[in-house]
């Protein structure tokens, strides 16, 4: 069974890396969004490997479903010029610097994780969905509701800005 978990980990890692490369390297915003969706599905698979089906479901529901649709609407509602700043090829120097900026923190964090392991408890504590819900709706009720209000205001602001741009033209 351990071999199957390792194979699944490798498959999900390949899905995440493939989707992220597609998202970053694509010149089309819709293809980049498809890469993001593929990456988020791979992350949901990783949650399944961690024996957390609730988190995997929330990943699919919130990020793959809602956020991806929101980004898709944002892409479709904007009118980008075909000759804009982003339409040209990226210089090689910029690509090399971007790659170095990605690898440097990953190397430092990898070195820190390998050389200074964190002491942890042998058996993680099990938190049921009921306890999680009670925690969100009791002691964390105000922050939980404020996040939803902030997201609603942001979406309403985006719609208002799009509406004003369309009326102005």
């Amino acid at each position: 069974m351990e071999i199957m978990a390792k194979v699944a980990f490798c498959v999900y890692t390949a899905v995440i890396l493939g989707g992220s490369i597609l998202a970053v390297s694509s010149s089309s915003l819709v293809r980049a969004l498809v890469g993001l969706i593929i990456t988020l599905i791979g992350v949901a698979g990783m949650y399944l490997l961690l024996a957390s089906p609730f988190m995997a479901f929330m990943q699919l529901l919130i990020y793959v479903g809602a956020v991806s649709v929101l980004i898709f609407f944002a892409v479709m509602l904007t009118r980008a010029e075909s000759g804009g700043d982003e339409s040209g090829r990226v210089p090689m120097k910029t690509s090399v610097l971007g790659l170095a900026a990605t690898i440097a923190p990953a190397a430092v964090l990898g070195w820190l994780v390998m050389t200074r392991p964190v002491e942890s408890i042998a058996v993680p504590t099990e938190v049921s969905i009921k306890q999680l819900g009670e925690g969100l709706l009791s002691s964390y009720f105000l922050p939980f509701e404020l996040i939803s209000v902030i997201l609603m205001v942001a979406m309403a602001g985006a719609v208002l800005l799009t509406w004003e741009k369309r009326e102005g033209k």
Side-chain angles (χ1 to χ4, degrees), residues 91-131:
M92 183 58 94
K93 180 181 178 184
T94 305
S95 297
V96 170
L97 289 175
L99 186 62
T102 303
I103 291 175
V108 169
L109 289 174
W111 176 76
L112 286 173
V113 166
M114 298 303 273
T115 58
R116 294 177 173 86
V118 178
E119 293 182 23
S120 64
I121 55 177
V123 178
T125 57
E126 184 73 26
V127 177
S128 69
I129 303 300
K130 183 178 179 182
Q131 290 173 330

Side-chain angles (χ1 to χ4, degrees), residues 9-10 17 31 39 53 63 88 93 99 101 103 107 113 117 122 127 129 142 147 156 159:
F9 179 79
C10 290
L17 287 175
R31 287 188 185 130
T39 302
Y63 289 107
K93 180 181 178 184
L99 186 62
I103 291 175
V113 166
V127 177
I129 303 300
L142 184 62
I147 289 172
V159 169

Side-chain angles (χ1 to χ4, degrees), residues 4-132:
M4 291 299 290
K6 289 180 181 179
V7 169
F9 179 79
C10 290
V11 168
Y12 289 136
T13 302
V15 168
I16 290 170
L17 287 175
S20 62
I21 289 171
L22 178 65
V24 171
S25 64
S26 179
S27 60
S28 167
L29 287 176
V30 175
R31 287 188 185 130
L33 180 61
V34 169
L36 176 66
I37 291 170
I38 291 170
T39 302
L40 293 173
I41 289 172
V43 170
M46 288 292 192
Y47 280 130
L48 286 176
L49 283 178
L50 292 171
S52 181
F54 177 74
M55 289 301 294
F57 179 69
M58 288 296 107
Q59 174 80 17
L60 290 174
L61 185 70
I62 295 169
Y63 289 107
V64 175
V67 173
S68 297
V69 168
L70 183 66
I71 294 172
F72 182 71
F73 278 122
V75 167
M76 292 297 127
L77 287 174
T78 57
R79 292 185 185 172
E81 298 175 10
S82 60
D85 293 338
E86 296 85 14
S87 64
R89 306 259 321 148
V90 177
M92 183 58 94
K93 180 181 178 184
T94 305
S95 297
V96 170
L97 289 175
L99 186 62
T102 303
I103 291 175
V108 169
L109 289 174
W111 176 76
L112 286 173
V113 166
M114 298 303 273
T115 58
R116 294 177 173 86
V118 178
E119 293 182 23
S120 64
I121 55 177
V123 178
T125 57
E126 184 73 26
V127 177
S128 69
I129 303 300
K130 183 178 179 182
Q131 290 173 330
L132 181 65

